[in-house]
Amino acid sequence: NSLTIEPGAIISFESDGVLTITKEGLFNAVGTANDPILFTGNVARRGYWAGIIFLFDNDQTNQLEHAIVEYAGGDGQEAALTVKSFDQSPSRLSASNLILRESLTDGFSIGEGANLTQFDNITSTLNNRTGVIDGGAVHQIGLGASFLGNDIDQIAVTFGDITSNVTWLTHDVPYLIEESLRIYAPLSLSPGSTLLMSSGSNIEVGTDGILSAIGTAQNPILITGKESIAGYWEGISFFKSFSTANRLEHVAVEYGGAAATGSSGNIKMR
């Protein structure tokens, strides 16, 4: 089954309405800069309708470009735009020049194993929170993002391992590491990045993992607690990671040192 939406179309949803693209579905909503596609609620109120959901749909032609999604996030949905995915049953989407606004919840929610062939020039604003994304998918957030103006200006990062060589770009809001971050492959943090660590969380660089956090004097990298309390999070642990590519330069690491394993410190070598 396929659905194509023409440039300039306005799709208005009743209360708790939802647009779900399921397995084997094909979704093509490509507007233009002058004629964007609008997905909205019949009432201009946060959470009036549920939102757009890609439900384990791995069709390589799914596209959402030059579109606006507003007043969604209702009916218990996670976000205005939700990409539900698992490693064994991924979803695929190309999205660009997209505005996500006035969601009762997150602007976007990206699940484990999601394949975002493009996720550039995304604006998420006037929502409860910028968005939430699996740790293994963060590197797919591309250039041109504008994430300010929400009640909570953060990209929440849920539990997800780093298993391939990736780079996390710097955006205009910080990453919030909600759980712990396990690095089993090279991860590079771009200059100017900020990582907020939740209570009791940690960053562990495993045997095959590499952490390259190279800031500059003008754009240092900050890895800090969500709250400015000594010992708020555990710290960065290098666990039998012997790579000479592990580098921390122009980086501030603070408010770690929670002693979950009997030793404490912002940075631990084991």
Side-chain angles (χ1 to χ4, degrees):
N1 297 322
S2 65
L3 173 63
T4 299
I5 301 175
E6 298 293 332
I10 298 175
I11 297 91
S12 186
F13 291 84
E14 294 285 357
S15 176
D16 296 334
V18 62
L19 174 57
T20 303
I21 299 92
T22 58
K23 278 186 177 181
E24 301 179 1
L26 188 162
F27 182 75
N28 185 281
V30 179
T32 68
N34 293 327
D35 289 302
I37 297 168
L38 176 63
F39 300 89
T40 188
N42 281 346
V43 175
R45 186 180 72 230
R46 278 187 181 185
Y48 185 76
W49 65 292
I52 301 175
I53 304 173
F54 288 84
L55 191 62
F56 313 117
D57 179 34
N58 198 31
D59 194 293
Q60 62 183 357
T61 59
N62 286 329
Q63 287 182 283
L64 182 59
E65 300 179 10
H66 286 291
I68 301 167
V69 185
E70 62 183 14
Y71 304 119
D75 196 30
Q77 292 304 316
E78 300 169 15
L81 172 64
T82 300
V83 181
K84 284 189 175 291
S85 183
F86 292 112
D87 287 333
Q88 298 80 8
S89 186
S91 283
R92 186 185 301 261
L93 174 64
S94 173
S96 65
N97 298 292
L98 187 63
I99 298 175
L100 308 168
R101 66 190 183 198
E102 297 287 3
S103 170
L104 184 65
T105 50
D106 285 293
F108 57 85
S109 175
I110 310 298
E112 171 191 349
N115 188 341
L116 303 177
T117 53
Q118 187 177 18
F119 203 67
D120 297 334
N121 299 310
I122 306 298
T123 296
S124 181
T125 189
L126 301 175
N127 306 299
N128 179 63
R129 186 173 61 180
T130 300
V132 59
I133 189 167
D134 181 80
V138 172
H139 65 282
Q140 298 178 94
I141 302 177
L143 298 171
S146 179
F147 290 154
L148 290 171
N150 302 282
D151 299 345
I152 303 171
D153 284 330
Q154 296 170 355
I155 303 168
V157 180
T158 58
F159 186 84
D161 298 337
I162 305 301
T163 57
S164 62
N165 189 338
V166 297
T167 297
W168 288 12
L169 297 182
T170 301
H171 301 293
D172 52 3
V173 301
Y175 296 107
L176 171 66
I177 309 301
E178 290 192 326
E179 301 177 52
S180 291
L181 182 62
R182 303 282 186 262
I183 302 174
Y184 300 125
L187 170 63
S188 297
L189 300 180
S190 300
S193 295
T194 296
L195 272 61
L196 303 179
M197 306 299 298
S198 295
S199 177
S201 65
N202 74 344
I203 298 173
E204 182 173 294
V205 185
T207 304
D208 297 320
I210 296 171
L211 177 59
S212 176
I214 303 176
T216 67
Q218 293 75 28
N219 292 292
I221 293 170
L222 176 62
I223 305 174
T224 186
K226 182 182 177 183
E227 296 185 20
S228 301
I229 301 171
Y232 187 77
W233 64 291
E234 290 185 19
I236 303 173
S237 174
F238 291 87
F239 182 72
K240 297 181 180 179
S241 176
F242 302 118
S243 174
T244 57
N246 284 317
R247 295 175 65 184
L248 301 177
E249 299 180 14
H250 290 290
V251 177
V253 183
E254 60 186 17
Y255 301 116
T261 57
S263 61
S264 62
N266 281 326
I267 298 174
K268 295 180 280 189
M269 310 288 290
R270 295 191 287 156

Coordinates of all heavy atoms in Angstrom, one line a residue, residues 183 185-189 203 205 209-213 223 236 238 241 245-248:
I183 N 30.2 2.2 24.8 CA 30.9 2.5 23.6 C 31.8 1.3 23.2 O 32.8 1.0 23.9 CB 31.8 3.7 23.7 CG1 30.9 4.9 24.1 CG2 32.6 4.0 22.4 CD1 31.7 6.2 24.5
A185 N 32.7 0.8 19.9 CA 33.3 1.1 18.6 C 33.7 2.6 18.7 O 33.3 3.3 19.7 CB 32.3 0.9 17.4
P186 N 34.4 3.2 17.7 CA 34.8 4.6 17.8 C 33.6 5.5 17.8 O 32.7 5.5 17.0 CB 35.6 4.8 16.5 CG 36.1 3.4 16.2 CD 35.0 2.5 16.5
L187 N 33.6 6.4 18.8 CA 32.6 7.5 18.9 C 33.4 8.8 19.0 O 34.3 9.0 19.9 CB 31.7 7.4 20.2 CG 30.9 8.6 20.5 CD1 29.8 8.8 19.4 CD2 30.1 8.4 21.8
S188 N 33.1 9.8 18.1 CA 33.7 11.1 18.1 C 32.6 12.1 18.5 O 31.5 12.1 18.0 CB 34.2 11.5 16.8 OG 35.3 10.6 16.4
L189 N 33.0 13.0 19.5 CA 32.1 14.1 19.9 C 32.6 15.4 19.2 O 33.8 15.7 19.3 CB 32.1 14.3 21.4 CG 31.6 13.1 22.2 CD1 31.6 13.4 23.7 CD2 30.2 12.7 21.8
I203 N 29.5 6.6 31.4 CA 29.9 6.3 30.0 C 31.0 5.3 30.1 O 32.0 5.5 30.9 CB 30.5 7.6 29.3 CG1 29.4 8.7 29.2 CG2 31.1 7.3 28.0 CD1 29.9 10.0 28.7
V205 N 33.8 3.0 28.0 CA 34.4 2.7 26.8 C 35.0 1.3 26.9 O 35.9 1.0 27.7 CB 35.6 3.7 26.5 CG1 36.2 3.5 25.2 CG2 35.0 5.2 26.6
G209 N 36.1 -0.2 22.1 CA 35.6 1.1 21.9 C 36.7 2.2 21.9 O 37.8 2.0 22.4
I210 N 36.3 3.3 21.4 CA 37.2 4.5 21.3 C 36.4 5.7 21.6 O 35.3 5.9 21.0 CB 37.9 4.7 20.0 CG1 38.9 3.5 19.7 CG2 38.7 6.0 19.9 CD1 39.4 3.5 18.3
L211 N 36.8 6.6 22.5 CA 36.2 7.9 22.7 C 37.1 9.0 22.3 O 38.2 9.2 22.9 CB 35.8 8.1 24.2 CG 35.1 9.4 24.5 CD1 33.9 9.7 23.7 CD2 34.8 9.5 26.0
S212 N 36.7 9.7 21.2 CA 37.5 10.9 20.7 C 36.7 12.1 21.0 O 35.7 12.4 20.3 CB 37.8 10.7 19.3 OG 38.5 11.8 18.8
A213 N 37.0 12.9 22.0 CA 36.3 14.1 22.3 C 37.3 15.2 22.3 O 38.1 15.5 23.2 CB 35.7 14.0 23.7
I223 N 31.0 17.6 29.5 CA 30.3 16.4 30.0 C 30.0 16.6 31.4 O 31.0 16.6 32.3 CB 31.1 15.1 29.7 CG1 31.5 15.1 28.2 CG2 30.4 13.9 30.1 CD1 32.5 13.9 27.9
I236 N 33.3 8.7 33.5 CA 33.8 8.0 32.2 C 34.7 6.9 32.6 O 35.7 7.2 33.3 CB 34.4 9.0 31.3 CG1 33.5 10.2 30.9 CG2 34.9 8.2 30.0 CD1 34.2 11.2 30.1
F238 N 37.2 3.9 31.2 CA 37.8 3.2 30.1 C 38.2 1.8 30.6 O 39.0 1.6 31.5 CB 39.1 4.0 29.7 CG 38.9 5.3 29.1 CD1 38.7 6.4 29.9 CD2 38.8 5.4 27.7 CE1 38.4 7.7 29.3 CE2 38.5 6.6 27.1 CZ 38.4 7.8 27.9
S241 N 40.3 -0.5 27.4 CA 40.4 0.1 26.0 C 41.8 0.7 25.9 O 42.1 1.7 26.4 CB 39.3 1.2 25.9 OG 39.4 1.9 24.7
A245 N 43.9 6.0 20.1 CA 42.9 7.0 19.6 C 42.0 7.6 20.6 O 41.3 8.6 20.4 CB 42.1 6.4 18.4
N246 N 42.0 7.0 21.9 CA 41.2 7.6 22.9 C 41.8 9.0 23.3 O 43.0 9.1 23.7 CB 41.3 6.7 24.2 CG 40.4 5.5 24.1 OD1 39.3 5.6 23.6 ND2 40.9 4.4 24.5
R247 N 41.1 10.1 23.1 CA 41.6 11.4 23.3 C 40.5 12.3 23.9 O 39.4 12.3 23.5 CB 42.1 12.0 22.0 CG 43.2 11.3 21.4 CD 43.6 11.9 20.0 NE 44.1 13.3 20.1 CZ 44.3 14.1 19.1 NH1 44.2 13.6 17.9 NH2 44.8 15.3 19.3
L248 N 40.9 13.0 25.0 CA 40.1 14.0 25.6 C 40.9 15.3 25.5 O 41.9 15.5 26.3 CB 39.7 13.7 27.0 CG 38.9 12.4 27.2 CD1 38.7 12.2 28.7 CD2 37.6 12.4 26.5

